[in-house]
Amino acid sequence: MELRQLRVFMEVAKYKSMTKAAESLHISQPALSKSIMTLEEELGMKLLIRTNKTSDVTDAGKVVLEYAQKMNVLMDEMSTTLNDMTNLKRGQINIGLPPIIGSLFFPKVMAKFHHAYPNVELNITEYGGARVVKSVEEGEFELGVAVMPIDEQEFQVYPIVEEEMKLLVYKDHPLADRKLVDLKDLKEEEFIFYHEEFALNKIMKKHCIAAGFEPKILFKSSQWDLMTEMVAANLGVTILPDSICNRAANSDIKIINLQQEIMWSLAVITKKERYISNAGRTFLDFILKDPL
């Protein structure tokens, strides 16, 4: 068994398609099929169920995939460690960011870091907060930015931002003239929420339930600007961090403080006991020295 075979199998499992995997790896489909068949013969088990359209992973394939991913992470860590030893001025950082955080805070940070360390490559991937946490845990990213609270037994947590959440309503909404609104007064409102993969979805559901009601969710989105435009069109209400509210410059929207103090806290996270590259540690020190 070779690592190359396992990486081919991981790519097929990722795309659930021999054709797409072959395109991604820049190899011919017959060569890819032969690699998978050889791996199956060596293991004595079927790893994929092939149909005309998809290639689904079998139960045995799921076990192989799990170990292959772990081995791939270890190989990446070995390469990173060796790179640090031989060329400390160069590096690469894989960072996971929720889109809301990337668009609000990180362009300036990345620009400053690039000017200070032009030979360090920043690979940014945007996922919802919950998926960022999972991806850091699984080794896809060495650094991630996530919404608190975070399991501090599993991760090293470095707080960087804390903001208050505020209510956004249409200008002619019955609550628009209020300076302060209790969350329980929103029981009959229709909400515009983030999708489930975003931490804000879970945070706001939790607070609504604590106030005595299950929120009526009319729309879900992954884009804060679309959410604020929906409020401006009188399609519902939403609750967003203060920095987003400050960007919602629309005369059709009223921004109101909540009686309950609901905080939006961000942190950089790393998986405990995982090796962090010299470039990764440098970026972490850089952002902690000058918090967002």
Side-chain angles (χ1 to χ4, degrees):
M1 185 192 310
E2 299 177 1
L3 283 170
R4 179 181 55 81
Q5 292 173 309
L6 293 175
R7 283 175 172 157
V8 168
F9 173 65
M10 288 170 60
E11 205 70 6
V12 176
K14 176 182 176 181
Y15 288 104
K16 293 188 176 182
S17 165
M18 293 281 195
T19 303
K20 290 181 180 178
E23 290 174 355
S24 174
L25 294 167
H26 304 291
I27 62 175
S28 68
Q29 192 168 331
L32 183 144
S33 297
K34 184 178 179 181
S35 178
I36 295 294
M37 289 175 65
T38 302
L39 180 61
E40 290 178 325
E41 287 171 5
E42 290 180 10
L43 295 173
M45 291 187 175
K46 204 76 172 171
L47 304 181
L48 294 170
I49 301 172
R50 301 165 180 81
T51 66
N52 290 333
K53 293 183 178 180
T54 63
S55 296
D56 293 319
V57 180
T58 65
D59 289 342
K62 290 176 182 177
V63 173
V64 173
L65 180 61
E66 181 182 349
Y67 280 95
Q69 288 170 335
K70 291 178 181 178
M71 292 166 69
N72 197 51
V73 168
L74 288 172
M75 291 298 293
D76 286 345
E77 287 187 6
M78 181 183 73
S79 297
T80 302
T81 305
L82 291 173
N83 183 63
D84 282 351
M85 291 174 64
T86 57
N87 195 351
L88 294 176
K89 292 185 178 180
R90 292 185 178 272
Q92 177 177 292
I93 314 169
N94 295 315
I95 306 173
L97 290 178
I100 181 176
I101 296 169
S103 62
L104 285 174
F105 303 115
F106 265 75
K108 289 183 180 179
V109 171
M110 289 186 287
K112 288 181 181 178
F113 185 81
H114 177 67
H115 288 307
Y117 302 94
N119 294 321
V120 176
E121 181 181 348
L122 290 174
N123 295 326
I124 308 293
T125 303
E126 290 189 319
Y127 287 157
R131 189 174 173 188
V132 168
V133 173
K134 184 174 177 59
S135 295
V136 171
E137 182 181 8
E138 293 177 347
E140 182 180 354
F141 308 131
E142 60 175 332
L143 300 176
V145 178
V147 180
M148 298 284 279
I150 298 293
D151 182 0
E152 297 193 30
Q153 291 186 333
E154 189 75 26
F155 301 97
Q156 294 285 358
V157 178
Y158 306 91
I160 53 173
V161 170
E162 186 171 64
E163 292 189 353
E164 195 169 349
M165 303 283 285
K166 295 188 177 182
L167 172 68
L168 284 75
V169 302
Y170 181 62
K171 65 178 180 180
D172 293 331
H173 191 281
L175 298 173
D177 293 330
R178 294 248 204 120
K179 292 185 177 179
L180 196 66
V181 170
D182 193 305
L183 203 56
K184 66 183 180 183
D185 293 337
L186 304 176
K187 182 177 181 179
E188 302 303 322
E189 297 295 332
E190 292 182 320
F191 281 86
I192 299 160
F193 258 42
Y194 270 99
H195 282 298
E196 285 84 352
E197 69 172 38
F198 291 84
L200 278 176
N201 180 290
K202 187 180 293 184
I203 290 171
M204 289 317 307
K205 275 187 179 177
K206 177 183 175 182
H207 282 284
C208 288
I209 291 170
F213 67 95
E214 181 85 25
K216 300 175 183 176
I217 302 173
L218 184 63
F219 293 107
K220 295 177 187 175
S221 175
S222 60
Q223 304 296 327
W224 64 264
D225 51 349
L226 177 59
M227 296 171 72
T228 57
E229 287 302 314
M230 286 181 177
V231 174
N234 198 23
L235 292 173
V237 305
T238 193
I239 297 173
L240 294 171
D242 187 47
S243 56
I244 294 179
C245 295
N246 292 335
R247 291 195 176 197
N250 192 315
S251 59
D252 290 330
I253 294 175
K254 292 289 185 179
I255 301 168
I256 308 169
N257 291 325
L258 290 166
Q259 187 166 314
Q260 292 86 346
E261 186 180 68
I262 303 174
M263 302 306 296
W264 185 60
S265 303
L266 304 179
V268 178
I269 63 171
T270 62
K271 184 172 172 59
K272 280 189 175 179
E273 299 179 4
R274 179 183 171 173
Y275 174 80
I276 303 300
S277 68
N278 187 39
R281 290 193 299 272
T282 301
F283 183 79
L284 186 57
D285 291 341
F286 185 89
I287 197 172
L288 293 177
K289 189 185 299 182
D290 187 15
L292 306 178

